[in-house]
């Protein structure tokens, strides 16, 4: 029997039990939709995280205190002096800019409105390295850093929270931890990311933050240092130079372990995508279980169908159907069931991801799920394979029926 | 090469029910010439159905030799038996055994499909339906046809492959006497016009009377031929 006829016949016999076929398909629909939407969301998050990291620039290095992989005793803190040492053009010719950063959360108030916001101490280099732009006013200047000025640049969300507007706030006063600061600029919107809202923050001169807000010991201590290489090609050289300078400054013996960590964006991206990859695989795996359950549903229904149609199988055999004809007939049915489930599941997955995007955007996070062609392909192939595997046992049972007994079956 | 279309010698069939062996046929010899009409009669338990299954290649004998249209079938594989049934045997069952929700035409086409005949199958199926007087019922489903008409579709399905023998198992068992007569007339007509060999399995003496020869079975043995 040729394949087109086999498909036609399978369709008509599936149409005989519309309700049953529909319910059987449902298991696969849910399974496939779960797998695809989980993968899409996982991958969307992954794209977002990696792209927001690479947006910071591919020639960026991040220097922080401590060692992530090995234990180091007496870790020396990073200080503003390290920034100057790293800026040395003779020792570090491939480093183009260095900027330190300190940050902490403080209560920020203005005209009766209060919000708890991330306050960072920065220098003008931060604007260059982190590509910060102001929509209004100016960024923090070197002069303000030197004079420990009480000035602040605020994010769009912060501006809205405190003043109810994102413009016309220059010159207004805000209180950070009770101290009065003058607003000199408003940052351009960066939009929310998976890291949280990047627009709700306040920038002040680094010296002001160190001496007036944080009061740490030593007072010139910084949280992390951002290093910009002269170009993407010199990132490795810049990393080596920075490592050498820091080891010398921290007096680490030749065989000693670094008490600091310098991460390139590339390393960060791969670390982040590793984590989200594991998460995606985990979610996909759980969703895969529901696909398996759907497959078992197909097997169950096919077994019922074989029993019900024993006489029909007997008749077909009497008319000359071979084992392979009967096997093909039932396999076609189960594959069609499962494939239909797969196709509908892809559609449902799209709906599910749209709903999740809506919910996420209401919670202030933009998420761009990506249903890749490969995911669709995978789901289609996978659901056909499920139909094939779980249809095999019932179909084989049908094919092996002896015509005499099958014809006698009531 | 034998002159008989059905040539069976010493056919035995033993069913094994758990530990017990139940003999159904105890050495049956039967020869049927081409274009002959033979009725097989016997009380229930006589081995009638078993013999029909073996003659129709639905089952293999435990021992014995069986040539159908010159081809030895006793030792064939399942697929070999399927092929023989498809080409050489037409079945007409008591319960019609048509596929519900499938048109008369498609029911008749089914054996051709399994036989791998694609190009001419529609014409052949139409011709077969016309031969049984259902030229105006191509697209009717079994549920839209009377009992007699359903059995005529079944006859069309049996003859569409031009088989060596048509095996009819109580072909009128579920029909009223008028439809039964009609069905018998069609079967006899086919024999007359196409010289189709007809084997009727029945315990209805009126049906058996249509045959040229009646084979009586009792306790798995041929009791006599008349």
């Amino acid at each position: 029997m040729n394949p087109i006829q086999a498909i036609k016949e399978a369709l008509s016999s599936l149409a005989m039990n519309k309700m049953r076929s529909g319910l059987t398909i449902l298991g696969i629909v849910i399974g496939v939709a779960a797998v695809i939407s989980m993968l899409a969301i996982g991958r969307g998050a992954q794209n977002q995280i990696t792209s927001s990291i690479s947006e910071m620039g591919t020639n960026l290095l991040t220097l922080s205190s401590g060692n992530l992989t090995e234990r180091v005793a007496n870790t020396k803190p990073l200080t503003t002096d390290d920034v100057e040492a790293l800026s040395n053009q003779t020792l570090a010719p491939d480093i183009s800019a260095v900027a330190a950063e300190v940050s902490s959360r403080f209560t920020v108030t203005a005209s009766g409105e209060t919000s708890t916001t991330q306050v960072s101490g920065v220098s003008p280099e931060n604007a260059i390295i982190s590509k910060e732009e102001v929509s209004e006013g100016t960024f923090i200047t070197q002069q303000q850093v030197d004079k420990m000025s009480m000035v602040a640049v605020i994010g769009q969300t912060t501006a809205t929270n405190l003043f109810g507007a994102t413009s016309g706030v220059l010159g207004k006063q805000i209180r950070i931890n009770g101290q009065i600061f003058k607003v000199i600029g408003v940052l351009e919107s960066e939009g929310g990311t998976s890291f949280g809202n990047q627009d709700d923050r306040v920038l002040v001169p680094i010296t002001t933050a160190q001496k007036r807000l944080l009061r740490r010991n030593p007072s010139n201590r910084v949280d992390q240092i951002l290093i910009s290489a002269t170009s993407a090609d010199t990132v490795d050289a810049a990393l080596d130079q920075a490592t050498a300078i820091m080891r010398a400054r921290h007096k680490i013996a030749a065989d000693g372990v670094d008490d600091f960590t310098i991460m390139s964006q590339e390393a960060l991206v791969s670390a982040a995508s590793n984590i989200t990859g594991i998460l995606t695989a985990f979610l996909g795996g759980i969703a895969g279980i529901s696909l398996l359950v759907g497959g078992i549903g197909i097997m169950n229904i096919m077994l019922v169908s074989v029993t019900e149609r024993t006489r029909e199988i007997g008749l077909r055999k009497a008319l000359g159907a071979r084992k392979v004809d009967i096997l093909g007939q039932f396999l076609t049915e189960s594959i069609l069931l499962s494939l239909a489930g797969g196709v509908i599941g892809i559609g449902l997955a799209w709906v599910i991801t749209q709903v999740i995007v809506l919910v996420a955007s209401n919670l202030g996070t933009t998420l761009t799920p990506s249903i890749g062609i490969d995911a669709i392909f995978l789901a289609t192939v996978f659901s056909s394979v499920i139909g094939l595997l779980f249809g095999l046992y019932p179909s084989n049972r049908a094919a092996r029926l002896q015509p005499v007994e099958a014809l006698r079956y009531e | 090469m034998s002159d008989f279309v059905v040539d069976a010698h010493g056919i035995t069939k033993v069913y094994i029910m758990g530990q017990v062996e139940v003999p159904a046929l105890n050495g049956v010899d039967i020869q049927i010439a081409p274009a002959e009409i033979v009725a097989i009669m016997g009380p229930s338990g006589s081995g009638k159905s078993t013999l029909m299954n073996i003659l129709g290649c639905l089952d293999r004998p435990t021992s014995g030799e069986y040539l159908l249209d010159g081809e030895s079938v006793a030792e064939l594989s399942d697929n070999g038996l399927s092929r023989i049934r498809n080409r050489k045997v037409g079945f007409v069952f008591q319960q019609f055994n048509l596929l519900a929700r499938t048109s008369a035409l498609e029911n008749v086409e089914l054996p051709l499909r399994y036989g791998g005949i694609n190009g001419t199958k529609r014409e052949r199926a139409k011709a077969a339906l016309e031969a049984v007087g259902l030229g105006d019922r191509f697209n009717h489903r079994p549920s839209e046809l009377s009992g007699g008409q359903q059995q005529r579709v079944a006859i069309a399905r049996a003859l569409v492959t031009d088989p060596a023998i048509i095996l009819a198992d109580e072909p009128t068992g579920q029909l009223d006497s008028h439809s039964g007569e009609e069905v018998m007339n069609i079967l006899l007509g086919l024999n007359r016009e196409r010289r189709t060999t007809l084997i009727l399995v029945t315990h209805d003496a009126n049906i058996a009377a249509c045959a040229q020869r009646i084979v009586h079975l009792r306790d798995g043995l041929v009791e006599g031929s008349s």
Side-chain angles (χ1 to χ4, degrees):
Chain A
M1 191 168 318
N2 71 44
I4 295 163
Q5 252 158 5
I7 288 170
K8 261 201 239 164
E9 243 183 57
L11 282 177
S12 80
S13 74
L14 290 176
M16 275 183 218
N17 272 307
K18 287 198 186 67
M19 182 73 177
R20 184 201 280 179
S21 302
L23 287 174
T24 312
I25 283 176
L26 201 59
I28 295 289
V29 169
I30 292 170
V32 167
V35 169
I36 296 192
S37 52
M38 287 305 127
L39 292 184
I41 286 161
R43 191 172 322 172
Q46 191 166 359
N47 287 346
Q48 193 121 36
I49 290 168
T50 51
S51 79
S52 62
I53 293 172
S54 10
E55 254 171 38
M56 296 175 201
T58 47
N59 47 0
L60 185 67
L61 295 170
T62 315
L63 166 58
S64 51
S65 182
N67 191 313
L68 295 176
T69 48
E70 286 175 78
R71 282 179 75 93
V72 186
N74 298 325
T75 308
K76 285 204 180 98
L78 300 174
T79 65
T80 321
D81 297 338
D82 294 325
V83 176
E84 265 161 49
L86 289 164
S87 306
N88 185 327
Q89 284 297 307
T90 23
L91 283 176
D94 291 316
I95 291 175
S96 68
V98 185
E101 201 177 84
V102 291
S103 59
S104 185
R105 294 185 82 81
F106 285 106
T107 306
V108 180
T109 57
S111 51
E113 299 292 334
T114 303
S115 95
T116 305
T117 305
Q118 177 89 7
V119 177
S120 302
V122 297
S123 53
E125 286 84 3
N126 289 69
I128 303 159
I129 294 174
S130 308
K131 304 195 179 85
E132 308 272 21
E133 306 248 358
V134 286
S135 63
E136 194 170 65
T138 56
F139 200 77
I140 285 151
T141 63
Q142 190 57 45
Q143 207 184 5
Q144 286 160 341
V145 172
D146 294 342
K147 291 168 102 181
M148 254 185 277
S149 301
M150 302 297 278
V151 293
V153 177
I154 61 178
Q156 300 251 326
T157 308
T158 318
T160 315
N161 288 347
L162 296 176
F163 302 110
T166 56
S167 59
V169 300
L170 297 184
K172 296 206 174 177
Q173 288 187 340
I174 58 171
R175 277 171 186 269
I176 304 171
N177 212 16
Q179 300 178 64
I180 298 171
F181 285 75
K182 193 172 92 178
V183 176
I184 57 159
V186 178
L187 289 167
E188 266 192 1
S189 174
E190 293 191 10
T193 69
S194 316
F195 295 134
N197 193 335
Q198 296 281 71
D199 289 334
D200 186 16
R201 58 200 180 120
V202 175
L203 305 181
V204 299
I206 185 163
T207 46
T208 317
Q210 283 169 332
K211 302 263 164 53
R212 307 225 170 176
L213 292 173
L214 295 165
R215 294 185 186 151
R216 286 170 177 162
N217 185 29
S219 70
N220 63 349
R221 188 170 157 176
V222 299
D223 291 333
Q224 63 172 359
I225 297 174
L226 303 174
I227 301 166
S228 184
T230 47
S231 78
D233 301 328
T234 55
V235 170
D236 289 338
L239 192 143
D240 291 342
Q241 289 155 14
T243 308
I245 291 169
M246 290 308 295
R247 283 178 73 91
R249 284 183 59 78
H250 289 185
K251 299 191 176 67
I252 297 166
D255 56 349
V257 180
D258 292 351
D259 67 346
F260 55 89
T261 305
I262 304 179
M263 284 262 262
S264 67
Q265 287 308 95
E266 209 180 325
L268 251 180
V269 165
S270 81
S273 68
N274 259 344
I275 293 167
T276 50
I278 289 167
L279 195 74
T280 307
F282 178 68
L283 288 174
I286 289 179
I289 291 171
S290 63
L291 197 53
L292 192 74
V293 173
I296 294 169
I298 287 200
M299 175 144 81
N300 195 5
I301 286 301
M302 291 310 294
L303 280 174
V304 171
S305 171
V306 167
T307 310
E308 263 183 7
R309 285 150 69 188
T310 302
R311 267 189 88 89
E312 179 195 322
I313 295 163
L315 169 77
R316 286 175 184 273
K317 286 205 151 183
L319 296 182
R322 290 160 302 161
K323 271 185 187 168
V324 64
D325 292 319
I326 303 293
L327 190 75
Q329 182 189 346
F330 283 90
L331 271 187
T332 309
E333 278 181 33
S334 74
I335 292 174
L336 278 181
L337 269 181
S338 157
L339 196 61
V343 171
I344 300 171
I346 292 168
L348 184 64
W350 185 82
V351 174
I352 290 175
T353 51
Q354 294 308 308
V355 168
I356 290 178
V357 167
L358 239 131
V359 170
S361 76
N362 281 341
L363 296 173
T365 313
T366 20
L367 196 65
T368 327
S370 73
I371 299 186
I373 293 294
D374 54 343
I376 291 174
F377 180 74
L378 204 76
T380 315
V381 170
F382 203 57
S383 61
S384 329
V385 168
I386 288 235
L388 183 76
L389 285 182
F390 288 95
L392 213 52
Y393 173 66
S395 307
N396 197 38
R397 218 154 106 154
R400 286 214 322 258
L401 283 173
Q402 285 303 314
V404 176
E405 275 133 54
L407 276 171
R408 213 186 288 142
Y409 186 86
E410 292 299 330
Chain B
M1 187 75 200
S2 91
D3 296 334
F4 298 108
V5 67
V6 168
D7 190 356
H9 283 285
I11 300 288
T12 69
K13 181 73 188 179
V14 179
Y15 290 110
I16 295 164
M17 310 286 216
Q19 301 289 317
V20 194
E21 291 191 348
V22 182
L25 294 176
N26 298 317
V28 171
D29 296 330
I30 188 166
Q31 277 89 30
I32 298 171
E36 200 179 2
I37 305 177
V38 174
I40 297 172
M41 287 192 81
S44 31
S46 61
K48 213 169 35 170
S49 301
T50 308
L51 181 60
M52 190 204 78
N53 288 339
I54 289 170
L55 293 183
C57 304
L58 289 167
D59 210 350
R60 289 184 202 84
T62 308
S63 70
E65 241 181 83
Y66 174 28
L67 292 176
L68 174 59
D69 204 18
E71 206 164 333
S72 174
V73 295
E75 313 268 289
L76 283 176
S77 67
D78 283 355
N79 281 343
L81 285 178
S82 288
R83 189 178 50 83
I84 287 267
R85 285 196 296 271
N86 184 257
R87 297 200 187 147
K88 306 215 162 167
V89 186
F91 289 97
V92 177
F93 300 99
Q94 184 175 1
Q95 299 93 338
F96 322 141
N97 279 343
L98 299 176
L99 294 184
R101 288 169 222 248
T102 305
S103 72
L105 200 57
E106 283 171 312
N107 265 296
V108 177
E109 274 175 15
L110 200 57
L112 296 176
R113 278 203 237 158
Y114 287 126
I117 297 158
N118 283 314
T120 56
K121 68 171 193 283
R122 182 116 306 180
E123 290 69 45
R124 286 176 69 171
K126 281 181 177 170
L129 277 171
E130 275 156 8
V132 298
L134 289 175
D136 54 345
R137 293 283 191 278
F138 289 162
N139 295 314
H140 287 61
R141 292 181 173 185
S143 56
E144 298 161 345
L145 298 170
S146 72
Q149 286 171 329
Q150 288 186 51
Q151 193 61 302
R152 277 147 69 188
V153 174
I155 294 170
R157 184 180 62 191
L159 66 88
V160 74
T161 52
D162 266 324
I165 57 171
I166 288 186
L167 261 173
D169 180 14
E170 302 282 7
T172 61
Q174 297 215 329
L175 300 174
D176 60 70
S177 58
H178 175 70
S179 314
E181 211 170 292
E182 215 172 67
V183 162
M184 278 315 295
N185 283 337
I186 288 172
L187 284 173
L188 298 176
L190 287 173
N191 172 263
R192 247 191 334 270
E193 288 154 26
R194 303 186 174 215
R195 301 183 51 75
T196 315
T197 312
L198 204 56
I199 302 171
L200 302 163
V201 179
T202 184
H203 50 241
D204 182 338
N206 290 329
I207 303 294
C210 301
Q212 294 152 0
R213 186 154 66 95
I214 301 173
V215 174
H216 289 276
L217 276 184
R218 183 176 285 276
D219 299 331
L221 282 167
V222 176
E223 203 182 37
S225 232
S226 52

